[in-house]
Amino acid sequence: MQDHIFIGGGGEGYAEAQKLLLNYTNRHGLIAGATGTGKTVTLQILAEGLSAAGVPVFLSDVKGDLSGLAASGREDFKLHEAFTKRAATIGLDLQYDKFPVTFWDLYGEQGHPVRTTVSEMGPLLLSRLLELTDVQEGVLNVAFRVADEEGLPLLDLKDLQALLLFVGENAKDLSLRYGNVAVSSVGAIQRQLLVLENQGGNELFGEPALELSDMIRCEADGRGVVNLLAADKLMNSPRLYATFLLWLLSELFEELPEVGNPEKPKLVFFFDEAHLLFDDAPKALVDKVEQVARLIRSKGVGVFFITQNPADVPDDVLGQLGNRVQHALRAFTARDQKDLQKAAETYRPNPRFDTAEAIREVGTGEAVTSMLDHKGIPMIVERTLIRPPSSQLGPITPQERAAIMAMSPMSGKYDKRLDRDSAFEMLARRADAAAKEAEEAEARAAREEEAEREFKQARRYDGGRAPSATTRSRRTKEPESLGGALADAFVKEMKGTTGRRIIRGIFGTIFKSR
């Protein structure tokens, strides 16, 4: 087995082979260049070489062209003569071939559905995906902590929405435990989730979740599987695209065991349109990308960033990329010229040419390259003719794609969505139980109130028992006859001033008669 991948010819007359060493492929790499300079073909020939060496590959198909990896090139292709001529120039025995491809698609239209759960995505990446503020991200972290403590699995978007509703309803109690939980922040997160759902983001979350082992595998003939993510529609939601790929990198970093420095990588990950990952990214996210890039190589994973300008990648990340293929950069403005000069300064100079001029002048299918040598040191920069691909240049037909998907081992495994018991169902049962209990308590209170009202208003039969003191006192005040009524009136009259005069008069008459 070869220990390298042939990339093209460099040096005088392009006769010097330029190689990517397999044991240094996990030192990561960069493919850069302006639109139309040949980045896609470079990506395609690297995927071919890795697959042939028994290394699984993951790459996103932004324009739909890379599906041609699943079909063999043909001699009746319009560029066959040009390919043959180039192969002769660089010393390549061109043999057309196809490669084992598994198609994936977040929307399940052009490939097998690929999903993850809300819990696996985590609050940091979700905050990036939802474009949350620091305060809102804090509330989302509280929600995840509540889910852990309450035993509420977060699988899909409706689970998270139900959990946030629970957090909002209990914001006062939760604020005492975790700090301020503003209901307005909960509402803002819910609105962002609605936007994500309208963009089709709910297709990303759910079960069955992707098993990484289904990507890191080889065919029976020893060739690595090329995992191709359909990204032409996904690019309409660039934040979703970047977040998903970063999540996949993070999962690889967390799940794969340490392997040290293997003879060849376990997987090579190509991150196309890498600038989408770093545009307006918070420092915490950039730090996470740098950490993954720095440490994931010990897991046997190589990462290649593909972008138009090396300046799109932060310096801390760019410093981790040992293997570089730089296609032409256009320098029409002062800023372009500055970026061009900066890109040239990152290469070991070649006394035969000026690096900055070479980057500006190389044509389509040609690049300035620098790979790591057998000691892991970047080689001097070379102008390189990139080898022609063995597979078909351009997309396959929808019918061919459907046939490949039907024969794939992944067919039927991820196609049907599962919806097991999770936070949404658990919280719904809690709400139903609480509502039922409240209804029963209200009914009991109503019955008790009605019974008390009836007791106060009803005339109760005493059953022949002696009247109570209250009853006796009440009855003594009631007149029993006409005489009694007159006596009561007389007594009442005697209590007044006139009554007192009459009494004095009566007593005075009695004493005089004696």
Side-chain angles (χ1 to χ4, degrees):
M1 182 188 72
Q2 290 186 336
D3 63 350
H4 66 271
I5 298 170
F6 178 72
I7 295 176
E12 294 290 343
Y14 301 111
E16 185 178 337
Q18 300 300 303
K19 305 172 183 179
L20 173 62
L21 299 180
L22 287 174
N23 62 330
Y24 285 122
T25 306
N26 63 339
R27 298 291 181 91
H28 312 319
L30 173 73
I31 302 173
T35 300
T37 56
K39 296 193 303 294
T40 301
V41 174
T42 299
L43 184 58
Q44 186 168 342
I45 63 108
L46 287 177
E48 290 178 356
L50 290 165
S51 176
V55 179
V57 175
F58 178 91
L59 63 161
S60 50
D61 192 5
V62 174
K63 296 180 291 185
D65 296 344
L66 292 172
S67 60
L69 281 160
S72 176
R74 302 188 310 272
E75 294 184 0
D76 58 352
F77 182 57
K78 62 181 180 179
L79 294 179
H80 170 69
E81 184 176 347
F83 284 175
T84 304
K85 183 177 179 181
R86 173 168 293 202
T89 301
I90 62 178
L92 171 68
D93 180 18
L94 180 61
Q95 300 290 331
Y96 289 126
D97 196 5
K98 63 180 180 180
F99 297 84
V101 174
T102 299
F103 293 104
W104 302 94
D105 186 1
L106 260 67
Y107 303 105
E109 298 172 356
Q110 302 182 69
H112 306 293
V114 53
R115 306 182 189 91
T116 183
T117 64
V118 172
S119 296
E120 289 177 345
M121 180 69 73
L124 175 63
L125 293 184
L126 269 177
S127 298
R128 159 70 170 171
L129 179 59
L130 300 175
E131 302 182 61
L132 302 183
T133 65
D134 291 341
V135 173
Q136 294 162 359
E137 182 180 349
V139 172
L140 190 62
N141 275 280
V142 170
F144 271 75
R145 174 63 66 86
V146 170
D148 288 340
E149 294 181 352
E150 297 286 334
L152 301 172
L154 298 177
L155 304 181
D156 50 27
L157 283 187
K158 71 177 186 296
D159 289 330
L160 183 56
Q161 290 165 336
L163 176 65
L164 289 169
L165 179 61
F166 174 81
V167 169
E169 291 173 343
N170 298 273
K172 184 176 181 180
D173 295 335
L174 294 174
S175 295
L176 298 176
R177 297 171 58 188
Y178 304 108
N180 185 39
V181 178
V183 176
S184 59
S185 295
V186 175
I189 299 172
Q190 292 281 41
R191 287 195 299 272
Q192 292 299 94
L193 287 175
L194 181 61
V195 173
L196 178 62
E197 189 174 5
N198 291 338
Q199 293 177 348
N202 57 323
E203 298 296 330
L204 171 61
F205 299 103
E207 290 186 320
L210 176 67
E211 296 180 17
L212 295 181
S213 58
D214 288 333
M215 287 188 172
I216 309 175
R217 58 189 180 88
C218 295
E219 293 288 282
D221 59 4
R223 292 186 299 174
V225 171
V226 178
N227 298 279
L228 201 61
L229 176 70
D232 47 351
K233 181 179 177 181
L234 183 59
M235 290 304 296
N236 294 327
S237 304
R239 189 67 61 100
L240 178 61
Y241 167 79
T243 305
F244 167 73
L245 292 187
L246 182 56
W247 164 80
L248 190 54
L249 268 179
S250 300
E251 286 296 294
L252 289 168
F253 172 68
E254 292 176 3
E255 292 193 15
L256 293 180
E258 296 279 343
V259 294
N261 294 308
E263 293 183 358
K264 63 180 181 180
K266 298 182 65 174
L267 175 73
V268 175
F269 189 100
F270 291 91
F271 203 131
D272 203 357
E273 300 295 340
H275 66 93
L276 297 175
L277 179 61
F278 304 106
D279 287 348
D280 302 321
K283 187 177 185 304
L285 188 66
V286 176
D287 290 344
K288 183 175 180 63
V289 176
E290 181 188 358
Q291 178 194 39
V292 171
R294 188 185 302 275
L295 301 178
I296 201 172
R297 71 174 188 84
S298 64
K299 306 294 183 80
V301 177
V303 183
F304 278 72
F305 293 92
I306 299 96
T307 188
Q308 294 192 14
N309 194 323
D312 296 333
V313 182
D315 290 342
D316 290 340
V317 178
L318 196 62
Q320 306 297 319
L321 313 181
N323 303 291
R324 302 191 182 189
V325 179
Q326 176 67 65
H327 290 274
L329 282 179
R330 309 307 180 196
F332 299 118
T333 67
R335 180 177 179 179
D336 292 340
Q337 293 175 2
K338 183 178 179 181
D339 290 342
L340 174 63
Q341 190 63 39
K342 182 179 178 181
E345 290 173 355
T346 61
Y347 292 94
R348 285 180 61 189
N350 191 322
R352 292 190 296 106
F353 58 85
D354 181 83
T355 306
E357 289 184 5
I359 295 175
R360 186 169 49 244
E361 295 174 356
V362 291
T364 301
E366 188 179 5
V368 170
T369 63
S370 176
M371 304 296 164
L372 297 178
D373 63 15
H374 289 281
K375 295 183 179 180
I377 301 172
M379 300 173 65
I380 63 172
V381 65
E382 286 287 356
R383 293 185 62 155
T384 303
L385 275 180
I386 303 299
R387 56 154 291 181
S390 299
S391 55
Q392 176 178 308
L393 187 63
I396 60 176
T397 65
Q399 294 77 17
E400 291 173 321
R401 181 189 290 263
I404 292 172
M405 289 174 57
M407 297 174 60
S408 171
M410 300 299 105
S411 178
K413 181 172 183 178
Y414 296 101
D415 297 340
K416 186 177 180 181
R417 177 184 287 268
L418 301 179
D419 190 12
R420 64 183 176 94
D421 201 48
S422 54
F424 176 80
E425 290 79 11
M426 292 179 179
L427 291 173
R429 286 197 298 271
R430 288 189 188 183
D432 290 342
K436 186 177 180 180
E437 183 178 350
E439 184 178 350
E440 292 176 352
E442 184 178 353
R444 284 195 305 270
R447 288 195 299 268
E448 292 174 358
E449 183 179 353
E450 180 67 20
E452 184 178 357
R453 185 168 57 251
E454 290 179 354
F455 178 79
K456 291 180 179 179
Q457 295 179 353
R459 298 180 64 181
R460 302 176 61 83
Y461 174 64
D462 60 8
R465 295 189 298 272
S468 63
T470 304
T471 305
R472 288 197 302 271
S473 65
R474 184 168 60 247
R475 287 180 178 176
T476 57
K477 295 178 182 179
E478 295 177 354
E480 297 180 355
S481 63
L482 178 60
L486 292 174
D488 288 344
F490 176 77
V491 172
K492 182 178 182 181
E493 186 64 25
M494 291 301 102
K495 292 180 179 179
T497 305
T498 304
R500 288 195 295 272
R501 290 175 183 173
I502 294 172
I503 292 173
R504 284 197 298 270
I506 293 171
F507 279 100
T509 302
I510 293 172
F511 288 126
K512 286 180 180 180
S513 62
R514 288 183 180 182

